Amino acid sequence: MTTSTAPTPPSSNPRPVVDAALAARLRAAFTAADFTSDGCLDLLGAGAYAALARSETVPALRATGGGSARETLLRLFLLQRPVPRAAAESAGLPVEDCLAHGWLTSDDDRGDAGAAQGGAGTVRATVDIRPYANDIAGSDDAGDAWIVSDLGCSVGGAGGIGSVGGVPRAELVLGVGGASTTLANITVRRPVRRVLDLGTGSGVQALYAARHAAVVVATDVNARALHFTRLTAALSGLANIETRQGSLFEPVPGETFDLVVSNPPFVISPGGRFTYRDGGLPGDELCRSLVAGAGRQLEPGGYCQLLANWQHVRGEDWRSRLAGWIAGTGCDAWVVQREVQDVFEYAELWLRDGGDHREDRAHYDARYQEWLDAFEAAKVEGVGFGWITLRRAPEGREPVLVAEEWPHPVEQPLGPEIERWFARQDFLREQDDAGLLAAHYLLADEVVQEQIGAPGAEDPEHVVLRQNRGMRRATKVDTVGAGFAGACDGSLPAGSILDAIAHLVGEAPALLRDRAPEQIRLLVEQGFLIPAALDEAEDRAGAV
């Protein structure tokens, strides 16, 4: 997914050719053979299907030797194996047109070792095609789609790949990876007018956005990436995606969007070797520039959601660093740091991704030293990875910024919970202590209580409330807080519940009311308590 560095020139003869009519015929053949995400999972089984994400294809090859149409298509487009031309035709492919338009190549025309391996009368795919289910979280809207990427890049990424068909590694277009799936899962999905997919790559985010937006603008610095996005859109039957070449927000000057999504080339590296991963700017400057410029591109209430890396600089708190990025954008922000790697782990990870471990030792060591020199010069001690969600703050309101570390498992898709988090921030911003006590609350679904203490003790040392949904948080409360949360069913205002608890425990109601608002704010912000007014509003929106 690429955004920065100098734009790459378009190819004079891009292959395969984008042809809507042929794409529709391919889509019909794929659908008829059930060459879909669910169909491939059913055919391979969970184990072999999961192995593909680890770049292991042997289990899938063992499961696709029967010669059915689905097995043929899976071997041809997902495993990149040659198949007999007759088998491809039996699978419903218009082989002659696919050859003419560059989707397939014939081994009959190759006088090399590859032709000998495939054999006479065999055909090969020129691109990876991965079936993909781009379901929209929180709705019944589901659809089959197909992601088109460079050969070798749809299964397990591009780790160690040098070049494909004469295309330099720097210009390769990757398919679906863990990062793109994460971003798709955390994105807020609601019907909107315009979406910007910044750094679209093979079009994964644009594919999702096209299901709930009238228009999607997909941008990239890599002309090949934009061509692959058009292939993905055509093959998936989506006509509302337009592509533009350029870096960051340059292709959309003065335009605004309801949603901006970006899986940018966030890798912090000493040089821009690979367009799809390296931003080409010093340190974490690319991610900073993206965040700093997002507010100007958002409609009121619009969201910007991205994945990012950020430097942990000696003597500087990472939260302060991110706050500096966000200041002045006019946006509320929720930053979640999911992982931190020291500089050695980080360099080793991306050296392996670049295939440097396959070179001679002197080459590898020199590259490693280059990374460490760059980090030392910038006083970088580690690199954080996480999610950043921005939302244009309500007019005239002071923006809210929450930056937290949360390396624990969460429930995916998380997009609906992220939207609810911002709604709760709006509620809390508008309430003083009296307003909090006057409001009605509901205990969130699937919250459980754990009592911690010595065996046989009359009272627990403390009580933990734990969520089994959303962020799956846990928070410590006292017995009064636990009793209050358990009594929140929306029927009584918080103040009345507290008065009743004060009577039961023999405490002055005024004292309990004085100290309760702080804990109520925490429980609302973290999603343990839902203001009844927000719950009713969500129900009305769902009904519409």
Side-chain angles (χ1 to χ4, degrees), residues 448-466 474-483:
V448 298
Q449 175 179 307
E450 300 173 0
Q451 297 190 171
I452 311 298
E458 184 176 346
D459 296 312
E461 293 176 15
H462 58 266
V463 178
V464 172
L465 299 182
R466 188 177 301 278
T475 192
K476 190 186 298 185
V477 295
D478 58 21
T479 54
V480 171

Side-chain angles (χ1 to χ4, degrees), residues 2-214:
T2 50
T3 60
S4 192
T5 71
T8 59
S11 169
S12 59
N13 185 29
R15 308 287 278 181
V17 175
V18 179
D19 181 279
L22 178 56
R25 293 170 68 190
L26 288 173
R27 186 167 64 253
F30 293 168
T31 302
D34 203 11
F35 180 55
T36 62
S37 179
D38 288 343
C40 289
L41 176 60
D42 183 59
L43 173 65
L44 299 179
Y49 197 73
L52 293 177
R54 304 191 299 272
S55 302
E56 297 292 348
T57 58
V58 171
L61 284 169
R62 290 171 61 89
T64 55
S68 70
R70 192 189 321 172
E71 290 168 307
T72 297
L73 294 173
L74 197 151
R75 280 182 168 241
L76 181 62
F77 289 115
L78 195 55
L79 303 180
Q80 296 91 58
R81 294 302 195 273
V83 303
R85 177 173 178 148
E89 290 172 341
S90 295
L93 294 180
V95 172
E96 199 62 39
D97 286 342
C98 287
L99 290 167
H101 287 76
W103 291 91
L104 297 176
T105 185
S106 172
D107 277 337
D108 293 339
D109 300 328
R110 301 173 62 189
D112 58 12
Q117 179 186 0
T122 60
V123 293
R124 296 172 181 268
T126 60
V127 290
D128 275 359
I129 300 177
R130 177 169 177 169
Y132 195 68
N134 63 329
D135 301 348
I136 301 300
S139 78
D140 295 327
D141 189 13
D144 291 311
W146 293 268
I147 306 291
V148 185
S149 61
D150 270 312
L151 288 173
C153 296
S154 77
V155 174
I161 293 177
S163 64
V164 175
V167 178
R169 165 92 188 260
E171 297 177 23
L172 287 181
V173 180
L174 273 59
V176 182
S180 53
T181 300
T182 294
L183 180 58
N185 278 329
I186 68 172
T187 299
V188 172
R189 304 291 176 193
R190 53 179 180 160
V192 293
R193 191 172 62 91
R194 304 186 77 225
V195 174
L196 172 63
D197 176 13
L198 194 154
T200 188
S202 55
V204 178
Q205 308 307 322
L207 195 71
Y208 273 98
R211 302 291 302 283
H212 63 99

Side-chain angles (χ1 to χ4, degrees), residues 24 132 158 181 232 239 242 253 272 334 443 446 448 456 458 489 498 519:
Y132 195 68
T181 300
T232 292
E242 62 176 271
W334 186 16
L443 184 65
E446 296 190 37
V448 298
E458 184 176 346
D489 61 4
L498 290 168
Q519 191 164 69

Side-chain angles (χ1 to χ4, degrees), residues 236-416:
S236 301
L238 299 169
N240 59 337
I241 299 173
E242 62 176 271
T243 58
R244 303 183 197 176
Q245 188 176 11
S247 177
L248 293 170
F249 297 106
E250 292 171 2
V252 291
E255 299 180 48
T256 55
F257 299 86
D258 304 292
L259 172 65
V260 175
V261 290
S262 184
N263 179 16
F266 51 68
V267 176
I268 299 171
S269 64
R273 296 172 62 197
F274 306 125
T275 310
Y276 65 82
R277 74 165 206 195
D278 303 318
L281 297 176
D284 50 18
E285 177 62 19
L286 174 77
C287 292
R288 187 208 65 80
S289 298
L290 201 164
V291 169
R296 296 188 296 271
Q297 310 291 153
L298 292 177
E299 288 284 330
Y303 286 86
C304 172
Q305 297 186 263
L306 67 145
L307 307 182
N309 274 177
W310 45 80
Q311 298 177 147
H312 282 231
V313 178
R314 190 179 307 124
E316 181 181 2
D317 183 76
W318 71 269
R319 294 173 181 82
S320 299
R321 184 176 188 83
L322 271 292
W325 293 7
I326 296 161
T329 62
C331 293
D332 296 323
W334 186 16
V335 180
V336 180
Q337 180 168 272
R338 297 287 288 163
E339 181 182 7
V340 181
Q341 290 184 315
D342 64 41
V343 293
F344 310 112
E345 293 176 296
Y346 191 81
E348 291 160 14
L349 170 65
W350 295 110
L351 285 167
R352 287 194 299 272
D353 175 84
D356 294 287
H357 62 303
R358 299 183 180 180
E359 304 289 340
D360 63 76
R361 187 71 200 191
H363 167 91
Y364 179 84
D365 288 352
R367 287 285 189 193
Y368 203 153
Q369 292 282 8
E370 187 180 4
W371 283 74
L372 297 184
D373 287 345
F375 282 137
E376 184 175 345
K379 300 181 180 178
V380 174
E381 298 179 327
V383 178
F385 167 80
W387 319 322
I388 300 176
T389 300
L390 307 174
R391 187 198 61 169
R392 276 283 300 272
E395 193 68 30
R397 297 295 189 268
E398 184 68 22
V400 172
L401 167 60
V402 174
E404 61 176 319
E405 194 160 5
W406 191 255
H408 311 293
V410 300
E411 180 190 35
Q412 294 286 16
L414 197 64

